[in-house]
Amino acid sequence: MLIRIIFPACLVVAMAACDREPASTPSADTTPAATPAETQVSRDIAAAPSTTAAVPTTSAGKSQEDLAAAFNASSLTVFETKTSTDLLAIKPLQQLNVTASEKGLKMSANGNDPAFLLPSLSTVDRFIVRLAIDSPAATTLLLLYLVKDTPSYDGSRSQTVSLKRGQNVVYFEVDIPELVQPLRFDLGTSGEYMLQSIAVHNVPRQAPR
């Protein structure tokens, strides 16, 4: 016996449509166009400064070259170390051991906040500090200072310069009318440093014209 199955015309048309692929259908891996908001975010990221950028090597808005020139132009020496024995006048504050050597003052830093203090300087005028130091790694050297009625050091009263691995000569300008001594220096990382010299030159403020 022959059985005939008759499908409604509308069902036949629907099945035929399923067998055909639309000619204009994009492939599954097509990347959707960025929205205006996504485009703006990408621009903001591209314009943002790199988080690995070197720490600025400026002090009070001046370059290290400018500070070196001002330091060398002054012969008003306030403090200077000429031997490793002179360097022993520096006081280790925390997480730091110092030993005099033929090359200078060996500084063994440990922990996350090694620091030392300079002797009190016989000046309250503008001055520039020059340090020659050998660093075990690329890091920073932070100067912190006190002012009148501030009992503790903190980052709001500080200057930072970058150190490269190996030999460095860096400068800090201090022009704080209400400065309270001593100055504090924080090393940026643990390791073996060699402090070769420190000198401080007075650089008098220019009289207004």
Side-chain angles (χ1 to χ4, degrees), residues 46-104:
S50 170
T51 56
T52 58
V55 177
T57 56
T58 58
S59 173
K62 299 178 181 178
S63 70
Q64 289 288 291
E65 290 77 12
D66 289 342
L67 294 179
F71 178 90
N72 292 329
S74 172
S75 59
L76 303 174
T77 302
V78 177
F79 175 80
E80 185 177 16
T81 61
K82 297 181 178 179
T83 67
S84 57
T85 303
D86 294 340
L87 285 166
L88 288 173
I90 293 164
K91 180 183 177 181
L93 184 61
Q94 59 195 27
Q95 301 175 359
L96 191 68
N97 296 316
V98 300
T99 307
S101 72
E102 293 181 356
K103 296 181 179 180

Short mmCIF file of all heavy atoms in Angstrom, two decimals, residues 46-104:
data_model
loop_
_atom_site.label_atom_id
_atom_site.label_comp_id
_atom_site.label_asym_id
_atom_site.label_seq_id
_atom_site.Cartn_x
_atom_site.Cartn_y
_atom_site.Cartn_z
N ALA A 46 46.06 55.30 25.74
CA ALA A 46 47.25 55.62 24.94
C ALA A 46 47.89 56.91 25.39
O ALA A 46 49.10 57.08 25.35
CB ALA A 46 46.85 55.73 23.46
N ALA A 47 47.05 57.86 25.85
CA ALA A 47 47.58 59.15 26.26
C ALA A 47 48.12 59.15 27.67
O ALA A 47 48.88 60.03 28.05
CB ALA A 47 46.49 60.22 26.16
N ALA A 48 47.76 58.14 28.47
CA ALA A 48 48.19 58.11 29.87
C ALA A 48 49.67 57.85 29.97
O ALA A 48 50.25 57.12 29.16
CB ALA A 48 47.43 57.01 30.63
N PRO A 49 50.38 58.42 30.97
CA PRO A 49 51.81 58.17 31.13
C PRO A 49 52.09 56.75 31.54
O PRO A 49 51.29 56.11 32.24
CB PRO A 49 52.20 59.15 32.26
CG PRO A 49 50.92 59.43 32.99
CD PRO A 49 49.84 59.35 31.96
N SER A 50 53.19 56.21 31.09
CA SER A 50 53.56 54.84 31.42
C SER A 50 53.85 54.71 32.91
O SER A 50 54.47 55.57 33.52
CB SER A 50 54.81 54.43 30.63
OG SER A 50 55.32 53.22 31.10
N THR A 51 53.39 53.60 33.51
CA THR A 51 53.64 53.38 34.93
C THR A 51 55.08 52.98 35.19
O THR A 51 55.49 52.90 36.33
CB THR A 51 52.71 52.28 35.46
OG1 THR A 51 52.89 51.09 34.68
CG2 THR A 51 51.25 52.71 35.36
N THR A 52 55.85 52.71 34.14
CA THR A 52 57.24 52.33 34.32
C THR A 52 58.19 53.49 34.01
O THR A 52 59.38 53.30 33.89
CB THR A 52 57.60 51.13 33.42
OG1 THR A 52 57.37 51.49 32.05
CG2 THR A 52 56.76 49.93 33.77
N ALA A 53 57.61 54.68 33.88
CA ALA A 53 58.47 55.83 33.57
C ALA A 53 59.43 56.09 34.72
O ALA A 53 59.14 55.84 35.87
CB ALA A 53 57.60 57.07 33.33
N ALA A 54 60.60 56.62 34.36
CA ALA A 54 61.60 56.90 35.39
C ALA A 54 61.11 57.99 36.32
O ALA A 54 60.37 58.88 35.94
CB ALA A 54 62.91 57.35 34.71
N VAL A 55 61.54 57.90 37.55
CA VAL A 55 61.22 58.93 38.52
C VAL A 55 61.87 60.23 38.08
O VAL A 55 63.02 60.24 37.66
CB VAL A 55 61.73 58.52 39.91
CG1 VAL A 55 61.47 59.61 40.93
CG2 VAL A 55 61.06 57.23 40.36
N PRO A 56 61.15 61.37 38.13
CA PRO A 56 61.74 62.64 37.67
C PRO A 56 63.03 62.98 38.41
O PRO A 56 63.11 62.84 39.63
CB PRO A 56 60.64 63.66 37.99
CG PRO A 56 59.38 62.86 38.06
CD PRO A 56 59.78 61.52 38.57
N THR A 57 64.04 63.40 37.67
CA THR A 57 65.31 63.75 38.29
C THR A 57 65.42 65.26 38.43
O THR A 57 66.41 65.87 38.07
CB THR A 57 66.49 63.21 37.46
OG1 THR A 57 66.37 63.71 36.12
CG2 THR A 57 66.49 61.71 37.44
N THR A 58 64.35 65.87 38.91
CA THR A 58 64.35 67.30 39.12
C THR A 58 64.13 67.61 40.57
O THR A 58 63.61 66.82 41.33
CB THR A 58 63.26 67.99 38.28
OG1 THR A 58 61.99 67.42 38.65
CG2 THR A 58 63.49 67.79 36.81
N SER A 59 64.56 68.78 40.99
CA SER A 59 64.41 69.23 42.36
C SER A 59 63.91 70.66 42.31
O SER A 59 64.52 71.51 41.69
CB SER A 59 65.75 69.16 43.09
OG SER A 59 65.67 69.73 44.36
N ALA A 60 62.76 70.90 42.93
CA ALA A 60 62.15 72.24 42.94
C ALA A 60 61.95 72.76 41.52
O ALA A 60 62.11 73.95 41.24
CB ALA A 60 63.02 73.20 43.75
N GLY A 61 61.59 71.86 40.59
CA GLY A 61 61.31 72.26 39.23
C GLY A 61 62.53 72.49 38.37
O GLY A 61 62.40 72.96 37.24
N LYS A 62 63.73 72.16 38.85
CA LYS A 62 64.96 72.38 38.09
C LYS A 62 65.59 71.05 37.73
O LYS A 62 65.48 70.07 38.47
CB LYS A 62 65.94 73.23 38.91
CG LYS A 62 65.41 74.62 39.25
CD LYS A 62 66.39 75.40 40.09
CE LYS A 62 65.85 76.78 40.45
NZ LYS A 62 66.78 77.54 41.31
N SER A 63 66.26 71.03 36.60
CA SER A 63 66.92 69.80 36.16
C SER A 63 68.19 69.56 36.97
O SER A 63 68.74 70.48 37.60
CB SER A 63 67.27 69.90 34.68
OG SER A 63 68.31 70.84 34.47
N GLN A 64 68.67 68.34 36.92
CA GLN A 64 69.92 68.02 37.59
C GLN A 64 71.08 68.82 37.00
O GLN A 64 71.99 69.23 37.72
CB GLN A 64 70.20 66.51 37.47
CG GLN A 64 69.28 65.64 38.30
CD GLN A 64 69.58 65.74 39.79
OE1 GLN A 64 70.63 65.28 40.24
NE2 GLN A 64 68.68 66.34 40.54
N GLU A 65 71.03 69.08 35.70
CA GLU A 65 72.09 69.88 35.07
C GLU A 65 72.09 71.31 35.61
O GLU A 65 73.16 71.89 35.88
CB GLU A 65 71.89 69.89 33.54
CG GLU A 65 72.18 68.57 32.86
CD GLU A 65 71.05 67.56 33.04
OE1 GLU A 65 69.95 67.95 33.50
OE2 GLU A 65 71.26 66.37 32.72
N ASP A 66 70.90 71.88 35.80
CA ASP A 66 70.82 73.24 36.35
C ASP A 66 71.34 73.29 37.78
O ASP A 66 72.05 74.23 38.17
CB ASP A 66 69.37 73.73 36.32
CG ASP A 66 68.88 74.03 34.90
OD1 ASP A 66 69.73 74.19 34.01
OD2 ASP A 66 67.66 74.09 34.71
N LEU A 67 70.99 72.29 38.57
CA LEU A 67 71.45 72.26 39.96
C LEU A 67 72.95 72.05 40.04
O LEU A 67 73.62 72.64 40.89
CB LEU A 67 70.71 71.15 40.73
CG LEU A 67 69.21 71.35 40.92
CD1 LEU A 67 68.61 70.18 41.68
CD2 LEU A 67 68.92 72.66 41.65
N ALA A 68 73.49 71.21 39.15
CA ALA A 68 74.94 71.00 39.13
C ALA A 68 75.67 72.31 38.81
O ALA A 68 76.69 72.64 39.42
CB ALA A 68 75.30 69.93 38.11
N ALA A 69 75.13 73.06 37.85
CA ALA A 69 75.76 74.34 37.48
C ALA A 69 75.71 75.33 38.65
O ALA A 69 76.70 76.02 38.93
CB ALA A 69 75.07 74.92 36.26
N ALA A 70 74.57 75.40 39.33
CA ALA A 70 74.46 76.31 40.47
C ALA A 70 75.37 75.89 41.62
O ALA A 70 75.98 76.73 42.29
CB ALA A 70 73.00 76.36 40.94
N PHE A 71 75.49 74.58 41.84
CA PHE A 71 76.37 74.06 42.89
C PHE A 71 77.81 74.42 42.59
O PHE A 71 78.55 74.92 43.46
CB PHE A 71 76.20 72.55 42.98
CG PHE A 71 77.10 71.87 43.99
CD1 PHE A 71 76.69 71.70 45.30
CD2 PHE A 71 78.35 71.40 43.61
CE1 PHE A 71 77.52 71.07 46.23
CE2 PHE A 71 79.19 70.79 44.52
CZ PHE A 71 78.77 70.62 45.84
N ASN A 72 78.24 74.19 41.36
CA ASN A 72 79.64 74.45 40.99
C ASN A 72 79.97 75.94 40.97
O ASN A 72 81.13 76.33 41.14
CB ASN A 72 79.92 73.83 39.62
CG ASN A 72 79.90 72.31 39.67
OD1 ASN A 72 80.23 71.70 40.68
ND2 ASN A 72 79.48 71.69 38.57
N ALA A 73 78.94 76.77 40.76
CA ALA A 73 79.18 78.22 40.73
C ALA A 73 79.35 78.81 42.12
O ALA A 73 79.81 79.94 42.25
CB ALA A 73 78.01 78.91 40.01
N SER A 74 79.01 78.05 43.15
CA SER A 74 79.14 78.56 44.52
C SER A 74 80.36 77.96 45.19
O SER A 74 80.64 76.77 45.09
CB SER A 74 77.89 78.17 45.33
OG SER A 74 78.07 78.48 46.69
N SER A 75 81.09 78.81 45.90
CA SER A 75 82.26 78.34 46.66
C SER A 75 81.99 78.39 48.16
O SER A 75 82.91 78.24 48.97
CB SER A 75 83.49 79.21 46.32
OG SER A 75 83.24 80.58 46.62
N LEU A 76 80.72 78.58 48.53
CA LEU A 76 80.35 78.68 49.94
C LEU A 76 80.03 77.29 50.48
O LEU A 76 78.89 76.86 50.51
CB LEU A 76 79.14 79.62 50.10
CG LEU A 76 79.32 81.03 49.56
CD1 LEU A 76 78.02 81.81 49.63
CD2 LEU A 76 80.43 81.76 50.32
N THR A 77 81.07 76.59 50.90
CA THR A 77 80.90 75.22 51.36
C THR A 77 80.42 75.20 52.81
O THR A 77 81.05 75.77 53.69
CB THR A 77 82.22 74.44 51.25
OG1 THR A 77 82.66 74.47 49.88
CG2 THR A 77 82.04 73.00 51.69
N VAL A 78 79.31 74.52 53.02
CA VAL A 78 78.72 74.40 54.35
C VAL A 78 79.13 73.08 55.01
O VAL A 78 79.42 73.02 56.21
CB VAL A 78 77.18 74.48 54.26
CG1 VAL A 78 76.54 74.28 55.64
CG2 VAL A 78 76.75 75.79 53.65
N PHE A 79 79.19 72.03 54.21
CA PHE A 79 79.53 70.71 54.72
C PHE A 79 80.17 69.93 53.58
O PHE A 79 79.74 70.00 52.44
CB PHE A 79 78.29 69.98 55.23
CG PHE A 79 78.54 68.57 55.67
CD1 PHE A 79 79.09 68.30 56.91
CD2 PHE A 79 78.18 67.50 54.85
CE1 PHE A 79 79.31 66.98 57.32
CE2 PHE A 79 78.39 66.19 55.25
CZ PHE A 79 78.96 65.94 56.50
N GLU A 80 81.22 69.16 53.92
CA GLU A 80 81.89 68.37 52.89
C GLU A 80 82.61 67.20 53.53
O GLU A 80 83.24 67.35 54.58
CB GLU A 80 82.88 69.23 52.11
CG GLU A 80 83.54 68.50 50.94
CD GLU A 80 84.45 69.42 50.15
OE1 GLU A 80 84.80 70.51 50.65
OE2 GLU A 80 84.81 69.05 49.01
N THR A 81 82.49 66.04 52.91
CA THR A 81 83.23 64.86 53.38
C THR A 81 84.40 64.63 52.42
O THR A 81 84.21 64.56 51.21
CB THR A 81 82.33 63.62 53.41
OG1 THR A 81 81.84 63.36 52.09
CG2 THR A 81 81.15 63.82 54.35
N LYS A 82 85.59 64.53 52.98
CA LYS A 82 86.78 64.30 52.17
C LYS A 82 87.37 62.91 52.38
O LYS A 82 88.17 62.44 51.57
CB LYS A 82 87.83 65.36 52.47
CG LYS A 82 87.39 66.77 52.11
CD LYS A 82 88.47 67.80 52.41
CE LYS A 82 88.05 69.19 52.01
NZ LYS A 82 89.09 70.22 52.30
N THR A 83 86.99 62.25 53.46
CA THR A 83 87.49 60.90 53.75
C THR A 83 86.32 60.04 54.22
O THR A 83 85.24 60.55 54.56
CB THR A 83 88.56 60.93 54.86
OG1 THR A 83 87.93 61.33 56.09
CG2 THR A 83 89.68 61.90 54.52
N SER A 84 86.55 58.73 54.26
CA SER A 84 85.51 57.83 54.76
C SER A 84 85.23 58.09 56.23
O SER A 84 84.10 57.88 56.70
CB SER A 84 85.94 56.37 54.54
OG SER A 84 87.18 56.11 55.17
N THR A 85 86.23 58.58 56.96
CA THR A 85 86.01 58.93 58.37
C THR A 85 85.04 60.09 58.50
O THR A 85 84.17 60.10 59.38
CB THR A 85 87.34 59.27 59.05
OG1 THR A 85 88.25 58.16 58.92
CG2 THR A 85 87.14 59.58 60.52
N ASP A 86 85.15 61.06 57.60
CA ASP A 86 84.20 62.18 57.59
C ASP A 86 82.78 61.69 57.38
O ASP A 86 81.82 62.22 57.95
CB ASP A 86 84.55 63.17 56.48
CG ASP A 86 85.87 63.88 56.71
OD1 ASP A 86 86.35 63.91 57.86
OD2 ASP A 86 86.44 64.40 55.72
N LEU A 87 82.64 60.65 56.54
CA LEU A 87 81.31 60.14 56.23
C LEU A 87 80.64 59.48 57.43
O LEU A 87 79.42 59.31 57.46
CB LEU A 87 81.38 59.14 55.06
CG LEU A 87 81.60 59.76 53.67
CD1 LEU A 87 82.00 58.69 52.66
CD2 LEU A 87 80.33 60.48 53.20
N LEU A 88 81.43 59.10 58.42
CA LEU A 88 80.86 58.49 59.62
C LEU A 88 80.04 59.49 60.43
O LEU A 88 79.36 59.11 61.38
CB LEU A 88 81.96 57.88 60.48
CG LEU A 88 82.60 56.60 59.92
CD1 LEU A 88 83.79 56.18 60.79
CD2 LEU A 88 81.57 55.48 59.84
N ALA A 89 80.11 60.77 60.05
CA ALA A 89 79.27 61.77 60.71
C ALA A 89 77.79 61.57 60.35
O ALA A 89 76.90 62.09 61.02
CB ALA A 89 79.72 63.17 60.31
N ILE A 90 77.55 60.81 59.29
CA ILE A 90 76.18 60.49 58.89
C ILE A 90 75.59 59.47 59.86
O ILE A 90 76.26 58.50 60.24
CB ILE A 90 76.16 59.96 57.45
CG1 ILE A 90 76.58 61.07 56.50
CG2 ILE A 90 74.81 59.40 57.07
CD1 ILE A 90 76.96 60.57 55.14
N LYS A 91 74.37 59.67 60.25
CA LYS A 91 73.75 58.81 61.25
C LYS A 91 72.75 57.84 60.61
O LYS A 91 71.74 58.28 60.05
CB LYS A 91 73.02 59.66 62.29
CG LYS A 91 72.33 58.84 63.37
CD LYS A 91 71.57 59.74 64.33
CE LYS A 91 70.81 58.90 65.38
NZ LYS A 91 70.04 59.78 66.30
N PRO A 92 73.04 56.52 60.67
CA PRO A 92 72.04 55.56 60.18
C PRO A 92 70.78 55.67 61.05
O PRO A 92 70.86 55.69 62.28
CB PRO A 92 72.72 54.21 60.36
CG PRO A 92 74.17 54.51 60.55
CD PRO A 92 74.25 55.85 61.17
N LEU A 93 69.64 55.75 60.41
CA LEU A 93 68.39 55.92 61.15
C LEU A 93 67.68 54.60 61.39
O LEU A 93 67.24 54.30 62.49
CB LEU A 93 67.48 56.90 60.41
CG LEU A 93 66.18 57.28 61.10
CD1 LEU A 93 66.45 57.97 62.44
CD2 LEU A 93 65.33 58.18 60.20
N GLN A 94 67.55 53.80 60.35
CA GLN A 94 66.84 52.53 60.47
C GLN A 94 67.20 51.63 59.29
O GLN A 94 67.51 52.10 58.20
CB GLN A 94 65.32 52.76 60.49
CG GLN A 94 64.79 53.45 59.24
CD GLN A 94 63.39 54.00 59.40
OE1 GLN A 94 62.97 54.32 60.51
NE2 GLN A 94 62.65 54.10 58.30
N GLN A 95 67.20 50.34 59.54
CA GLN A 95 67.40 49.32 58.50
C GLN A 95 68.65 49.59 57.67
O GLN A 95 68.68 49.37 56.46
CB GLN A 95 66.17 49.24 57.60
CG GLN A 95 64.90 48.89 58.35
CD GLN A 95 63.65 48.92 57.49
OE1 GLN A 95 63.71 49.21 56.30
NE2 GLN A 95 62.52 48.62 58.08
N LEU A 96 69.70 50.07 58.34
CA LEU A 96 70.92 50.44 57.62
C LEU A 96 72.13 50.28 58.53
O LEU A 96 72.14 50.77 59.66
CB LEU A 96 70.81 51.89 57.15
CG LEU A 96 71.88 52.39 56.16
CD1 LEU A 96 71.72 51.70 54.82
CD2 LEU A 96 71.77 53.91 55.99
N ASN A 97 73.14 49.57 58.02
CA ASN A 97 74.42 49.44 58.72
C ASN A 97 75.49 50.09 57.86
O ASN A 97 75.51 49.92 56.63
CB ASN A 97 74.76 47.96 58.93
CG ASN A 97 73.77 47.26 59.85
OD1 ASN A 97 73.37 47.80 60.88
ND2 ASN A 97 73.34 46.05 59.47
N VAL A 98 76.40 50.83 58.49
CA VAL A 98 77.43 51.54 57.74
C VAL A 98 78.82 51.14 58.24
O VAL A 98 79.01 50.89 59.43
CB VAL A 98 77.25 53.07 57.83
CG1 VAL A 98 75.91 53.49 57.26
CG2 VAL A 98 77.38 53.55 59.27
N THR A 99 79.77 51.08 57.29
CA THR A 99 81.14 50.74 57.60
C THR A 99 82.07 51.58 56.74
O THR A 99 81.88 51.65 55.51
CB THR A 99 81.42 49.24 57.32
OG1 THR A 99 80.44 48.44 57.99
CG2 THR A 99 82.81 48.86 57.79
N ALA A 100 83.06 52.20 57.34
CA ALA A 100 84.02 52.99 56.57
C ALA A 100 84.92 52.05 55.77
O ALA A 100 85.34 51.00 56.26
CB ALA A 100 84.85 53.86 57.50
N SER A 101 85.23 52.43 54.53
CA SER A 101 86.12 51.65 53.68
C SER A 101 86.98 52.59 52.87
O SER A 101 86.80 53.82 52.91
CB SER A 101 85.31 50.74 52.75
OG SER A 101 84.68 51.50 51.73
N GLU A 102 87.92 52.04 52.11
CA GLU A 102 88.81 52.88 51.30
C GLU A 102 88.04 53.63 50.22
O GLU A 102 88.45 54.71 49.80
CB GLU A 102 89.89 52.02 50.66
CG GLU A 102 90.87 51.40 51.66
CD GLU A 102 91.93 50.58 50.97
OE1 GLU A 102 91.85 50.44 49.72
OE2 GLU A 102 92.84 50.08 51.66
N LYS A 103 86.92 53.06 49.76
CA LYS A 103 86.15 53.68 48.69
C LYS A 103 85.09 54.65 49.18
O LYS A 103 84.48 55.36 48.39
CB LYS A 103 85.50 52.58 47.83
CG LYS A 103 86.49 51.70 47.11
CD LYS A 103 85.76 50.66 46.27
CE LYS A 103 86.75 49.77 45.52
NZ LYS A 103 86.04 48.76 44.69
N GLY A 104 84.85 54.65 50.47
CA GLY A 104 83.81 55.52 51.01
C GLY A 104 83.10 54.87 52.17
O GLY A 104 83.70 54.11 52.94
#
